[in-house]
Amino acid sequence: MSSTTTKIEPLGAVRERVLASLRQEIIAGSLRPGDRLVERELAERFGVSRVPVREAIRALVAEGFVHFETPRRTVVRRLTPHDVQELFELREALEVYAAGLAAARATPEDLAQVQELLDLAAAATEAGDAEVITDVNSRLHDRIVAMARNSLLTEALEPVAGRLRWMTRRNEEWPQLLVEHRELYEAIASGDPDRARAHALAHVRTNYRSTVRHLFGETETRD
């Protein structure tokens, strides 16, 4: 006589699985601005109870992906030019500083990892694979911040990382992004913090203008 045991997935793990899936659908554009998130429908789709879905939606609200139009209606946020401006101002303050620290602190192993990411980005750009390009470019920026070896800096950027990825996913000027990332890598690899900061600043500002243009069909809006 044999018996089988069913492994029960912890509630926290279910919530994280649903959260990760919904976040990725928003970033990729499967869930579009204005689309409604209905607990009952999502619970049925994921084959889970409504509790982890409710918790995942609350996490998405905290991350800035969705908002409550009414107490009973939750929708994917429509990004505004001001949203983009605020996030890129944060990038300008923190990522530029991180690039300078990375130039001073990067090890050969760090630089080799960035070079590997650039190779992946080049292959994805050649193939026109938007999903891989977005993922690799995000990992590249994360790697540069990690190279700064400042845990508080990393923690400061973590809450907005998903929203930045969501915005920059709309920027499809991939060959230009690859050029800019290679130049930024070379500046960091040179060991010159001033050069690294200058390239990082130029990159963030160029990316800001491109993102605004692709999202709103507008030119730069910053004061």
Side-chain angles (χ1 to χ4, degrees), residues 207-220:
N207 196 215
Y208 169 74
R209 290 190 293 269
S210 298
T211 300
V212 169
R213 185 166 61 252
H214 283 275
L215 282 173
F216 311 112
E218 301 172 4
T219 56
E220 188 174 0

Side-chain angles (χ1 to χ4, degrees), residues 112-134:
Q113 289 176 3
V114 175
Q115 185 61 66
E116 288 177 5
L117 289 171
L118 286 170
D119 291 343
L120 290 173
T125 299
E126 180 69 23
D129 191 329
E131 194 68 30
V132 174
I133 291 170
T134 302

Side-chain angles (χ1 to χ4, degrees), residues 19-38:
L19 173 59
S21 295
L22 291 175
R23 185 193 294 118
Q24 182 54 37
E25 288 179 27
I26 294 171
I27 291 172
S30 301
L31 282 171
R32 302 178 62 81
D35 284 354
R36 188 179 179 189
L37 276 63
V38 181

